[in-house]
Amino acid sequence: MSFCERQMNNIITPEKKLFEDEHVVSIVVPTVNGEMGVLTGHHPVIAQLTLGAIKITLSNETEQLIFIGSGYLEVNNNQATILADQAENIEDIALEQVKAARQKAEELLKTAKDQVEMDKYYQELKTQMLREQLAGIGRGQEVIRRS
């Protein structure tokens, strides 16, 4: 049985249901312990997700990338559900807006008053850099790795 048969896959954020499809072959998610792939018959699991990209392969052999801030994945009875604090299709990321948000985060990081602010602004910078990278992928641009 392929992953797409009688398989319901959902990505839900506080604002909306971002993704729902029964024609999924595989899902690769960023967990706090590394990437994890999910196929049909996967054993039941709950995993904590971290900042990254969810890669969904559909039965028509197309792939979809979705940005995720953090959240949880539950797999049970051939159903995968992702509850995310923040998620968006990479095609929906406005490249110019995310560049501006990254620049703002860089400036805020330079002016941090203490370690708590520095950690907060650094996390925001990491988020915006990933969103910018994924937006570029969605527009067919070459990916530039930053260290």
Side-chain angles (χ1 to χ4, degrees):
M1 174 160 77
S2 72
F3 195 63
C4 63
E5 293 176 17
R6 296 185 308 280
Q7 172 69 38
M8 182 58 68
N9 302 277
N10 300 294
I11 298 177
I12 302 167
T13 70
E15 293 81 31
K16 63 182 175 182
K17 184 178 280 192
L18 181 67
F19 180 87
E20 180 176 28
D21 201 322
E22 294 181 356
H23 304 285
V24 173
V25 174
S26 68
I27 301 172
V28 178
V29 295
T31 75
V32 295
N33 296 317
E35 286 191 338
M36 181 174 84
V38 178
L39 300 169
T40 296
H42 197 287
H43 63 283
V45 66
I46 294 176
Q48 184 178 357
L49 304 180
T50 188
L51 180 67
I54 299 169
K55 180 181 171 184
I56 301 169
T57 304
L58 300 173
S59 60
N60 64 3
E61 298 183 12
T62 61
E63 291 182 348
Q64 187 170 351
L65 284 177
I66 296 175
F67 162 80
I68 183 171
S70 65
Y72 291 91
L73 164 73
E74 177 189 27
V75 178
N76 196 16
N77 294 325
N78 277 334
Q79 178 172 340
T81 301
I82 295 172
L83 301 176
D85 67 336
Q86 180 184 10
E88 59 191 317
N89 289 309
I90 64 169
E91 293 85 11
D92 297 337
I93 300 173
L95 190 54
E96 292 307 314
Q97 289 178 344
V98 78
K99 282 181 181 181
R102 177 187 46 82
Q103 290 170 346
K104 181 179 179 181
E106 288 171 344
E107 291 302 315
L108 289 170
L109 186 58
K110 291 176 188 174
T111 63
K113 298 177 203 147
D114 55 32
Q115 190 64 44
V116 173
E117 276 192 3
M118 189 176 287
D119 292 346
K120 175 183 170 185
Y121 298 145
Y122 179 70
Q123 184 63 34
E124 180 64 20
L125 178 60
K126 283 181 18 179
T127 298
Q128 297 308 328
M129 288 173 65
L130 178 61
R131 289 180 69 231
E132 183 177 1
Q133 182 180 25
L134 291 173
I137 292 170
R139 288 158 183 78
Q141 297 176 0
E142 189 173 323
V143 176
I144 298 173
R145 299 262 180 220
R146 296 185 180 156
S147 48

